[in-house]
Amino acid sequence: MKRFSTAATSRHARVFSPQRLLPRIGRKSFSQQPARRQTDSKPDLPLRLDALPLWFKKYSLPAARASASESASAAATTTTMEEPPPPAKRTAYIALGSNLGDRIAWIEKACNEMDARGITVKRTSSLWETEPMYVLDQDRFVNGACEVETTLEPLALLDTLQDIENYLGRHKVIDKGPRNIDLDILLYEDLKIDHERLKIPHIGIAEREFVLKPLAELIPDKPIDHARPWTLTRDYLDALTPSQPPLTTMTPLSAHHPPIQALKSTRRTHIMAILNMTPDSFSDGGQHAALDEPALVATVQALLDAGATMIDIGGQSTAPSAPEVSVDEELARVLPAIRLIREHFASRPVLVSVDTYRASVAAAAVAAGADIVNDVSGGSMDPAMLPTVARLGTTVCLMHMRGTPATMNSLAEYPAAQGGLIAGIARELVARVAAAEAAGVRRWRIVLDPGLGFAKVGPQNVDVLRHLDELRHWPGLQGLPWLVGSSRKSFIGRVTGVPTPKERIWGTAATVAAAVQGGADVVRVHDVREMSQVVVMADAIWRY
């Protein structure tokens, strides 16, 4: 006897159910109708046409009466007919993998293609670089996972994912061998599926660290196998022996520069050179704004020669007393500098960052050649910033700040009852990361900044440096790279007694060393030559 699946049986039952032939009002089957009592003492009740089912009216009445009945029924049907409900949206988790070519770019193209085909990518994990498994003679993989929302049933979803793979040019030579893109359904709602083409939960989840790492970022407290609801995703991950060396996340910066590997113990710290194109910045206002093109080229050349790997260009001072300039003025300050760097230093792998909290400036800067958007407000001052960054597909640095540059110093209270300074910063950064993800920013495109000097005064800044490693390991922030900007700031002057910002080099040096020890991936500095030496030495001590 041929057995049909439950899904197939229920589907056919809906299609061929006799109830579908009855009027919408009532919808009782014949077996549910109360039996009429037949007695000799009472005559039959008069026949009511409006109480008869449509099929009876149409085929059992005389033509004239049937025609009148059909007209009435048609009118009733027209007024009571409802639109079919939209397809239900389901949640699924998709594994992402690549080990050919620009691995991160392939994964990003696949996510964009899913979005374009109505498979909405709601959240992504970090991207993790992993050694190959099973077939060892191949390049290292980049693996991740994403949470998607879809109206497709499991097999239809599988068909679409495979079509995306084919569209992106995947050619599978050997099983588990090299491929430019690999998309697998890990979980689909709470379903368990055993089909010749599809197994859900995906086979081998429990034994694969490169699957569990990203999945545990998305759903640490969700069971994978609902036959074992007490075993959560993080439990499966904890049961594995960690890889040696440990897996590391990857944060892309540009197509011409290696990604940041924030969990790699031997990584080098980036030097971000500050290039303020403003007349009123607290430390170097007017120093670069008035430079002509040859002088600006010479300045950038000197920064690169001194050890800078990134140039952060700003056109709006964030000093508390600085006036806010117009968008046009900010653009006029930053765009020529970006274009100049791209024109004169095309052969050097220099990274360009734009320091702005305005979405329109960020978009124009990226179009001119900027690689990174550095937003001191973490995307909070301009509601369009995070959606703009998501659309651009660029990496964004989300800094912790409260209020605006004009109000931030009055918002530096972090009550002990709410966990104090570090917990407050961490909690608010987790919220900014969630806002970025909700806007469509991929998690692997996020860098964090604790915001020294922004809604933090005096000793609070020292506390942040002292507890940077704690922030790095805070739940919801793990695996993300960090940028620290302490250069020449007023808290250094208060501690050292040096009132002039340009003379705070030695105090800045100590904060830069502390940042490297705490796990910073990027330090943002004015004095590039001196701080490059500090970073090289600090890396030699702590980046082993």
Side-chain angles (χ1 to χ4, degrees):
M1 178 178 179
K2 185 174 182 180
R3 298 179 62 187
F4 293 89
S5 69
T6 303
T9 304
S10 62
R11 183 169 66 251
H12 291 297
R14 289 197 299 270
V15 172
F16 299 113
S17 172
Q19 281 92 329
R20 295 177 64 86
L21 299 176
L22 298 180
R24 295 185 65 85
I25 301 176
R27 281 200 171 182
K28 294 182 179 179
S29 66
F30 293 111
S31 61
Q32 293 172 319
Q33 300 290 343
R36 295 184 61 187
R37 296 180 60 194
Q38 300 295 328
T39 64
D40 294 334
S41 58
K42 292 184 180 180
D44 288 341
L45 296 175
L47 182 66
R48 291 183 56 203
L49 299 181
D50 58 352
L52 293 174
L54 288 176
W55 58 266
F56 186 87
K57 296 176 188 177
K58 184 174 182 180
Y59 298 111
S60 301
L61 296 179
R65 295 175 65 189
S67 176
S69 176
E70 288 170 12
S71 297
S73 298
T77 302
T78 300
T79 58
T80 61
M81 183 174 294
E82 301 173 358
E83 291 292 329
K89 294 180 179 179
R90 310 290 186 84
T91 298
Y93 295 88
I94 311 298
L96 312 165
S98 174
N99 77 329
L100 289 177
D102 190 338
R103 301 166 298 172
I104 295 175
W106 284 119
I107 289 174
E108 292 188 321
K109 288 177 183 178
C111 289
N112 293 339
E113 193 63 27
M114 282 191 276
D115 280 330
R117 300 190 187 202
I119 305 169
T120 305
V121 178
K122 303 295 288 185
R123 293 188 300 148
T124 60
S125 70
S126 302
L127 292 178
W128 299 78
E129 187 172 54
T130 66
E131 296 294 333
M133 194 173 184
Y134 307 116
V135 179
L136 303 181
D137 186 20
Q138 56 181 319
D139 291 334
R140 286 177 293 180
F141 275 84
V142 172
N143 289 106
C146 62
E147 177 183 282
V148 303
E149 193 174 71
T150 180
T151 58
L152 298 174
E153 293 297 324
L155 285 175
L157 177 60
L158 176 64
D159 289 339
T160 304
L161 295 179
Q162 291 180 342
D163 189 60
I164 291 173
E165 291 177 335
N166 293 333
Y167 173 76
L168 294 178
R170 171 172 171 171
H171 299 288
K172 189 173 182 179
V173 179
I174 58 173
D175 187 39
K176 300 181 177 60
R179 58 268 200 194
N180 66 317
I181 190 64
D182 192 21
L183 305 174
D184 290 309
I185 304 174
L186 299 175
L187 302 171
Y188 186 102
E189 295 281 309
D190 296 335
L191 296 185
K192 186 176 180 65
I193 298 176
D194 188 2
H195 187 274
E196 62 181 359
R197 293 184 58 215
L198 180 63
K199 313 290 183 185
I200 297 179
H202 194 279
I203 293 175
I205 290 180
E207 67 184 48
R208 299 176 181 178
E209 187 183 16
F210 65 84
V211 175
L212 287 172
K213 276 282 191 183
L215 198 57
E217 288 183 290
L218 296 172
I219 48 170
D221 299 319
K222 181 181 176 65
I224 292 175
D225 183 354
H226 286 269
R228 297 171 54 85
W230 56 86
T231 308
L232 309 178
T233 304
R234 61 182 175 184
D235 296 328
Y236 287 103
L237 180 59
D238 291 342
L240 293 180
T241 301
S243 299
Q244 291 300 327
L247 303 187
T248 181
T249 55
M250 305 181 73
T251 302
L253 300 170
S254 76
H256 55 78
H257 204 282
I260 294 175
Q261 296 182 299
L263 300 180
K264 186 176 181 179
S265 62
T266 58
R267 70 193 185 280
R268 293 180 58 188
T269 305
H270 281 277
I271 299 286
M272 175 181 276
I274 299 169
L275 187 65
N276 282 325
M277 308 302 295
T278 54
D280 52 357
S281 290
F282 84 97
S283 173
D284 57 353
Q287 182 174 329
H288 306 301
L291 292 180
D292 57 18
E293 183 172 316
L296 192 55
V297 169
T299 296
V300 173
Q301 182 72 57
L303 294 174
L304 297 177
D305 291 343
T309 53
M310 302 179 178
I311 307 290
D312 190 42
I313 301 173
Q316 164 68 62
S317 174
T318 53
S321 59
E324 186 173 4
V325 303
S326 68
V327 172
D328 289 342
E329 177 64 23
E330 187 177 358
L331 289 171
R333 292 175 178 180
V334 301
L335 294 185
I338 295 172
R339 294 184 182 123
L340 179 144
I341 292 173
R342 287 297 173 229
E343 178 183 350
H344 288 273
F345 300 94
S347 62
R348 297 190 66 165
V350 56
L351 292 158
V352 175
S353 168
V354 59
D355 181 3
T356 185
Y357 50 77
R358 288 169 164 157
S360 58
V361 175
V366 171
D371 304 293
I372 302 162
V373 175
N374 184 14
D375 185 350
V376 296
S377 77
S380 64
M381 290 183 65
D382 185 345
M385 176 61 89
L386 296 178
T388 297
V389 170
R391 174 177 57 81
L392 296 171
T394 191
T395 295
V396 61
C397 181
L398 304 177
M399 195 186 82
H400 176 266
M401 184 179 73
R402 291 176 170 179
T404 68
T407 64
M408 62 187 180
N409 285 344
S410 64
L411 301 172
E413 293 292 329
Y414 298 85
Q418 298 176 13
L421 175 67
I422 301 304
I425 295 171
R427 187 168 54 248
E428 291 165 26
L429 279 177
V430 168
R432 297 319 303 158
V433 170
E437 291 180 316
V441 179
R442 311 305 186 200
R443 186 178 180 85
W444 56 75
R445 285 284 182 179
I446 296 175
V447 178
L448 299 178
D449 183 339
L452 296 179
F454 289 78
K456 298 158 202 75
V457 294
Q460 290 177 328
N461 296 284
V462 177
D463 284 343
V464 171
L465 286 170
R466 187 180 292 125
H467 295 283
L468 181 60
D469 190 58
E470 184 179 344
L471 282 171
R472 290 179 64 240
H473 290 90
W474 198 274
L477 305 179
Q478 305 101 319
L480 296 174
W482 287 77
L483 181 153
V484 174
S486 59
S487 185
R488 299 181 181 179
K489 290 191 172 176
S490 60
F491 77 92
I492 297 174
R494 290 192 181 96
V495 172
T496 62
V498 178
T500 305
K502 289 184 179 181
E503 296 177 1
R504 296 171 185 160
I505 294 177
W506 299 112
T508 296
T511 63
V512 167
V516 173
Q517 182 185 21
D521 300 276
V522 183
V523 291
R524 183 177 180 271
V525 300
H526 298 87
D527 307 291
V528 174
R529 185 171 301 280
E530 294 85 350
M531 296 311 123
S532 291
Q533 294 181 31
V534 173
V535 163
V536 168
M537 197 67 229
D539 280 351
I541 297 169
W542 290 296
R543 301 286 164 87
Y544 49 87

